[in-house]
Amino acid sequence: MLISFKTSMKTRITESLFSKFPTKGYVTTVWLAAATTLTGCGDLFEPTISEICESHSEICLDLSLDARCRGERAEIIRLRYYNHDSKDDAYKYPLLLNFEEYLTCVEEVQHIEHVKRKGKEATRLKGVITAQREIKRLSRETKDSLDPYLSYYHWTRYNDKEAFHRFERYAASNRVSDPKLLVALASVQIKTDQKRTIETLYRALSLYTDSDDIDVSIFYSLASMGMDMDNYRLAYVWYGVAEAFDERLNDTQRVQLGQRYALPVGILDNIVDEIVSNLNSATFNADSLKLDKL
């Protein structure tokens, strides 16, 4: 029924809206790729972790050396290696995220008892101490950074209002090329200004270059806001777009919505098709599609 449709939409969005700001793996990959490009090294000539630690032991010695948490440790070592001479703060965002992941891992395995090899516990404790120290050091060094990702980090980790304002100013500018920055901004705007949130999410959708990367929670959010504002055409359209990108959905609730409010479903279905086509071809433009008329 429509009431349950509206309620379930709100519940889902409240729990999962805007949860995919750049994560550790994504950002680390970006910065390592940039670093290898700058150094002239491709994957073929990229040194192994063992080779890095042999030639730059200072990068590795303060990390636990047992087999646990190997992946987390490797990403830290590579970020340190490729950026050890960098004067740019930007790489410190993925480094902070990796240290958080590493800390979680070593804290979990630190409590595993090794009856025959008690020395393992000591090296893990070293890893915990290092991760805690480095997170504090990097946080202190980047507290006033203008980098949008680091501003986002300080806002979300420490509730730093100044960092949020720096992030907000950047995300609201025309310099943004990462849609995830705008999605994160929308997560704040939605609490007080749904109209601005919709505009921000439209801008975010216009920045995606691959439709496979689109966070489908954006579609649910737009549909949910349409319901909240009693704009059932908007809700119908974006629920239809969500169906196109989320195979778990069927059209039952959308059809009920169209019937209940006697919506011009033929026209709206054409708009859905246009939006889907534009998103797939990375040509989405809300103004060109006249979505403000919904």
Side-chain angles (χ1 to χ4, degrees), residues 6-273:
K6 186 170 181 177
T7 302
S8 64
M9 287 277 289
K10 278 187 174 181
T11 302
R12 251 183 321 202
I13 300 310
T14 300
E15 292 176 350
S16 65
L17 178 59
F18 314 125
S19 60
K20 298 183 180 178
F21 191 76
T23 58
K24 173 182 69 68
Y26 170 83
V27 177
T28 298
T29 300
V30 169
W31 282 107
L32 289 180
T36 53
T37 299
L38 290 173
T39 56
C41 300
D43 291 342
L44 182 63
F45 303 107
E46 187 176 337
T48 65
I49 295 299
S50 296
E51 290 170 340
I52 291 174
C53 290
E54 184 176 345
S55 60
H56 296 77
S57 59
E58 71 281 0
I59 291 178
C60 309
L61 287 177
D62 59 349
L63 303 171
S64 62
L65 300 179
D66 70 331
R68 303 271 186 169
C69 310
R70 182 178 297 172
E72 293 83 355
R73 183 174 66 246
E75 293 195 23
I76 290 171
I77 290 170
R78 291 199 185 281
L79 279 165
R80 283 174 160 184
Y81 175 72
Y82 286 115
N83 296 281
H84 66 280
D85 289 328
S86 177
K87 292 180 172 53
D88 190 339
D89 276 346
Y91 81 94
K92 294 177 182 178
Y93 175 67
L95 187 57
L96 276 162
L97 296 187
N98 277 288
F99 265 119
E100 288 181 344
E101 292 286 329
Y102 176 68
L103 177 60
T104 298
C105 181
V106 291
E107 282 180 331
E108 286 176 353
V109 300
Q110 183 190 6
H111 304 294
I112 299 176
E113 292 188 8
H114 291 264
V115 176
K116 297 182 180 180
R117 303 181 69 180
K118 291 287 186 180
K120 293 274 188 181
E121 295 176 8
T123 187
R124 287 177 188 143
L125 178 60
K126 179 174 70 173
V128 170
I129 293 171
T130 294
Q132 291 174 336
R133 184 193 68 232
E134 287 298 281
I135 289 171
K136 289 179 181 177
R137 180 184 67 82
L138 290 164
S139 295
R140 187 171 58 251
E141 288 180 0
T142 59
K143 184 178 187 306
D144 299 316
S145 175
L146 298 177
D147 180 85
Y149 293 100
L150 287 167
S151 296
Y152 174 83
Y153 182 89
H154 282 274
W155 162 43
T156 55
R157 299 304 193 275
Y158 304 113
N159 195 29
D160 186 329
K161 296 297 191 294
E162 288 300 317
F164 169 69
H165 292 316
R166 290 196 303 272
F167 170 76
E168 184 180 35
R169 285 193 295 272
Y170 182 88
S173 74
N174 293 323
R175 296 174 292 162
V176 178
S177 59
D178 186 345
K180 298 180 185 66
L181 287 172
L182 296 178
V183 171
L185 175 61
S187 70
V188 179
Q189 293 175 330
I190 197 172
K191 299 171 185 176
T192 58
D193 192 333
Q194 291 188 327
K195 185 171 184 285
R196 285 182 63 202
T197 305
I198 291 171
E199 292 171 354
T200 299
L201 291 178
Y202 284 170
R203 286 178 54 212
L205 289 174
S206 73
L207 294 176
Y208 283 102
T209 57
D210 187 335
S211 60
D212 290 338
D213 295 333
I214 298 175
D215 183 350
V216 295
S217 71
I218 295 175
F219 308 139
Y220 291 118
S221 303
L222 289 165
S224 181
M225 284 185 283
M227 296 298 294
D228 286 343
M229 296 184 296
D230 296 330
N231 186 341
Y232 303 114
R233 296 186 181 199
L234 181 73
Y236 182 98
V237 164
W238 286 105
Y239 199 67
V241 175
E243 289 172 21
F245 285 88
D246 190 342
E247 60 185 15
R248 297 169 298 177
L249 292 181
N250 59 51
D251 65 359
T252 302
Q253 292 173 318
R254 179 173 55 84
V255 170
Q256 290 177 348
L257 181 63
Q259 291 173 344
R260 172 130 187 192
Y261 292 100
L263 301 178
V265 295
I267 295 172
L268 297 180
D269 286 340
N270 287 337
I271 294 173
V272 169
D273 290 341

